[in-house]
Amino acid sequence: MNPLNQTVKTSSFNTPQKTSPQKSTPISPRLTGRNRQPIALISVHGDPDVDIGREEAGGQNVYVRQVGEALAKLGWQVDMFTRKIHPDQPTIVQHSPHCRTIRLTAGPLEYIPRDELFEYLPEFVTAFQNFQAKEGTNYPLVHTNYWLSAWVGLQLKKYHNVQLVHTYHSLGQVKYQTVSNRPKIADTRLTVEKSILEQSNTVVATSPQEEEILRHTVSQNGHISVIPCGTNLENFHVISKSEARLKLGLDAHEPIILYVGRFDPRKGIETLVRACHQYQTAQNQPFKLMIAGGADPNKTDGQERQRIEGLVQELGLTKQTAFPGQLSHEILPFYYAAADVCVVPSHYEPFGLVAIEAMACGTPVIASNVGGLKFTVIPEETGLLVPPQDISGFANAINRILTDDIWTQKLRKQASVRVSENFSWAGVAIRLSDLYRRILAESIMDERLLPLSRSVINSEVAAIPVTTSTRKVS
Ligand code: UDP
C-alpha cells in the first residue's frame, strides 16, 4: 500500500528526523485512511516534522503540524506536503493514523534559503501530481502556507478541480518595509500574494490586524476569514516559578528576562539587548537575560547570533546573558514559567506564537506594537506593548514589570486566562474544519465546477457545527 515504495516512519513532535536513514515500513491499509476525506496542507519550505526554533523552522512549521494533527482528530485524512532537503530524510512520516508528512523531491536534496526556492516550484507541482496519481487520490481541498506554497496551489487550481485555502504566515508588503535590501524575488512574491487573495476560495488571516493589512496593502477582492493561531494548552500551562527554576537549576530570586525565537534581524533581539543595557544603566539592579533559539554557524541565523553575542559583549552584558540554544516544546514551558517577563521585540510579526505560549504559562509579555501581537497581548492586562525598535520604551516596560510585584501577579493570571479562553489548536482546527466543509459544500453546489460526489463530506466532519464566517469585499 505504499505506491511510491517510499521510506516511511512514525514520529512524535520535535523528534530530530534529519540525520539517520530510516527503514522502509509498509503503510497498512488502515493508515492510508481511504474512507476519510483527504485534504492536503502544503508547506514547501516549512517542514512540519523538523526541530523548531532555527532559521527556516518556526511558527509556520508548528502551525501546519498542530493544525494537521488536530484536523485528523476531527475526521479528515491529512497529508502535509513539504520539500525534501536531505537524502536521509524519510519520504513519508506517519504522525498519527490519519496524519502524515510527505516530502516531495523538488530541486537538489539540500537546504535552500526560501528566497531561492521559486525556480524549483514547478518540480514540486509535478511531484505532487505524480504522488496523487500513484496513490489514486485527488485532494479536493488544498490549504497552502506562505507565498511559495500559494504559487503551487494556484498552479494546481489550473489543472484540477481543487478548492484553495491559504495562510500567509508572512506578508511581503509588510516585510519589505522592515528590511534594507529587497531580495530579487520580491516582485514575484508580491504578485503571488495578490493572486492568492483574489483567486483562492478563502485566505485565513490569523488576526483582525492581518485582515486589515491585507485589505489595505494587497487587495480589496477575495474572501478573508479570521482564524487566529493557537497553542497546545496541555503543553503550555501554568507552572510555579519556583518549581520551574528548580527544574532548570536557576537562581530562585534573580529577575529573568526571556527571549524565545529564531535569530533573525526582524525579530529585534538587538532592541532587547540595548533595552536591557539601558535598564541596567538606569536602575543598577541584578537580572538575567536569556536568549533562547537555535542557530547554525553556517547559515544566516548563525551570523545573527554572532552579531548579537558581539553586541552583548560590547555593552558589557556578558555575565548577565545566557544563550541556552534551541529548546524543545517539552522544556520550553519551564523556561517561560521561570521568567519574570518574556519579550517579543519583533519589527514585524504576523501572529507570534511565542507570545501566547508565554502567556499560557502565566508569564507577562512585553511585545512590539505590531501585527498579531496587538491582538494577542492586551496592554496593562496581560503585558505591555511598545513601538518596535523603541529601546527606551522596552527598557521602561521591563522596569515596570520587574518592579511591581502585585501588578505582575495580576498580569500572570490574566495572561494565562486570555490564552486558555481564546487560543487552542483544537479550537483553531474546529474553525478550519467548518471552513473547509463549507467550501467543499459550495463547490458541490456550483454547477460550473466539475461534479464532485456528495460523499466527499465525511460524516464525522459533517457533524461539526458551522460557526466560521467569511466576507467578500467586492
Ligand atoms: N521555538 C522552539 N524552540 C526554540 C525557539 C523557538 O520550539 O528554541 C518555537 C516557539 O516555541 C514557537 C516557534 O518556534 O512555537 C516560533 O513561532 P513564532 O510565531 O513566535 O515566530 P516565527 O518563527 O514564526 O517567526
Side-chain angles (χ1 to χ4, degrees):
M1 295 305 286
N2 183 6
L4 301 181
N5 197 24
Q6 299 118 333
T7 52
V8 176
K9 64 181 285 297
T10 56
S11 86
S12 64
F13 199 29
N14 256 348
T15 308
Q17 309 299 341
K18 277 212 230 151
T19 43
S20 56
Q22 304 295 325
K23 263 184 152 180
S24 189
T25 316
I27 303 178
S28 75
R30 192 178 66 81
L31 292 185
T32 59
R34 289 189 184 282
N35 56 343
R36 290 180 164 226
Q37 175 58 48
I39 49 168
L41 306 188
I42 300 185
S43 177
V44 175
H45 81 282
D47 187 326
D49 189 46
V50 294
D51 277 354
I52 308 300
R54 283 173 302 133
E55 185 177 38
E56 295 280 297
Q60 178 176 330
N61 308 60
V62 174
Y63 178 94
V64 175
R65 175 67 178 272
Q66 294 289 340
V67 155
E69 295 220 34
L71 285 167
K73 284 190 191 146
L74 291 177
W76 302 86
Q77 169 62 36
V78 183
D79 286 342
M80 308 182 286
F81 290 86
T82 190
R83 195 180 79 87
K84 193 170 188 169
I85 64 164
H86 194 283
D88 291 342
Q89 282 184 313
T91 301
I92 297 184
V93 183
Q94 193 79 47
H95 302 292
S96 60
H98 301 290
C99 178
R100 54 190 182 161
T101 289
I102 296 154
R103 297 192 174 101
L104 302 178
T105 298
L109 296 181
E110 61 189 40
Y111 165 81
I112 297 173
R114 62 185 93 171
D115 281 347
E116 293 161 32
L117 271 178
F118 187 68
E119 63 178 294
Y120 303 109
L121 295 185
E123 263 183 77
F124 193 96
V125 173
T126 306
F128 182 90
Q129 288 168 323
N130 289 343
F131 184 89
Q132 280 201 132
K134 283 184 179 154
E135 281 238 320
T137 303
N138 268 314
Y139 299 98
L141 187 140
V142 170
H143 184 155
T144 55
N145 294 274
Y146 195 64
W147 75 270
L148 293 165
S149 310
W151 188 87
V152 170
L154 289 166
Q155 297 308 302
L156 292 172
K157 203 172 169 66
K158 281 187 194 166
Y159 307 111
H160 306 275
N161 178 26
V162 64
Q163 312 308 310
L164 270 187
V165 174
H166 180 69
T167 305
Y168 284 92
H169 296 282
S170 161
L171 204 54
Q173 284 287 5
V174 181
K175 178 170 179 163
Y176 296 143
Q177 286 167 19
T178 67
V179 297
S180 43
N181 290 333
R182 270 166 72 106
K184 279 194 209 137
I185 200 72
D187 289 343
T188 309
R189 174 177 180 170
L190 297 179
T191 307
V192 174
E193 287 185 340
K194 185 165 189 283
S195 303
I196 195 75
L197 175 50
E198 295 181 342
Q199 292 173 37
S200 65
N201 296 73
T202 292
V203 151
V204 173
T206 54
S207 65
Q209 287 75 8
E210 187 182 350
E211 180 184 28
E212 208 180 302
I213 290 170
L214 285 169
R215 286 295 177 222
H216 277 105
T217 65
V218 180
S219 178
Q220 286 292 313
N221 298 323
H223 292 274
I224 299 177
S225 197
V226 178
I227 303 179
C229 293
T231 198
N232 182 346
L233 297 176
E234 278 165 29
N235 192 51
F236 294 107
H237 58 87
V238 177
I239 304 167
S240 84
K241 201 196 282 188
S242 52
E243 183 194 335
R245 289 189 179 205
L246 197 64
K247 162 108 182 164
L248 300 176
L250 297 169
D251 185 281
H253 305 292
E254 190 175 41
I256 294 179
I257 302 162
L258 177 69
Y259 166 87
V260 175
R262 293 177 297 114
F263 281 87
D264 180 328
R266 82 130 162 113
K267 289 288 182 181
I269 309 173
E270 175 174 349
T271 307
L272 171 60
V273 173
R274 290 191 184 280
C276 285
H277 176 247
Q278 199 176 100
Y279 167 73
Q280 188 197 38
T281 311
Q283 306 300 327
N284 196 22
Q285 292 295 322
F287 68 89
K288 189 170 203 78
L289 169 62
M290 302 192 87
I291 303 179
D296 180 337
N298 300 316
K299 294 189 184 151
T300 56
D301 55 359
Q303 291 159 16
E304 176 64 359
R305 172 162 167 170
Q306 220 178 1
R307 191 180 75 83
I308 295 297
E309 282 184 73
L311 182 68
V312 164
Q313 208 172 9
E314 186 192 312
L315 297 175
L317 291 175
T318 308
K319 258 173 62 189
Q320 290 92 332
T321 308
F323 292 87
Q326 181 178 7
L327 302 173
S328 73
H329 273 198
E330 284 74 47
I331 197 71
L332 256 173
F334 292 95
Y335 277 85
Y336 288 128
D340 292 276
V341 63
C342 178
V343 183
V344 188
S346 314
H347 301 176
Y348 154 57
E349 198 62 75
F351 185 80
L353 288 177
V354 163
I356 57 170
E357 289 168 5
M359 291 195 294
C361 297
T363 306
V365 171
I366 299 174
S368 296
N369 189 8
V370 293
L373 298 168
K374 289 200 278 187
F375 171 60
T376 51
V377 179
I378 313 248
E380 307 291 332
E381 274 184 38
T382 69
L384 291 167
L385 290 175
V386 176
Q389 305 190 60
D390 179 350
I391 295 164
S392 301
F394 276 96
N396 290 336
I398 288 170
N399 184 37
R400 279 190 65 195
I401 290 197
L402 294 189
T403 50
D404 190 341
D405 266 1
I406 295 168
W407 177 55
T408 47
Q409 283 309 323
K410 259 175 89 181
L411 292 184
R412 281 182 170 271
K413 178 117 211 313
Q414 286 162 183
S416 66
V417 169
R418 165 127 184 93
V419 177
S420 61
E421 285 181 355
N422 296 285
F423 305 106
S424 75
W425 285 123
V428 173
I430 287 173
R431 295 181 68 184
L432 284 173
S433 191
D434 290 347
L435 178 66
Y436 298 166
R437 210 160 57 82
R438 190 178 52 72
I439 289 172
L440 288 171
E442 280 171 10
S443 78
I444 294 167
M445 298 304 189
D446 192 337
E447 285 172 6
R448 287 167 295 161
L449 294 176
L450 291 171
L452 264 180
S453 159
R454 277 170 193 274
S455 67
V456 296
I457 302 178
N458 178 284
S459 57
E460 282 171 76
V461 174
I464 300 158
V466 177
T467 55
T468 307
S469 66
T470 57
R471 74 186 172 95
K472 182 159 189 171
V473 165
S474 72

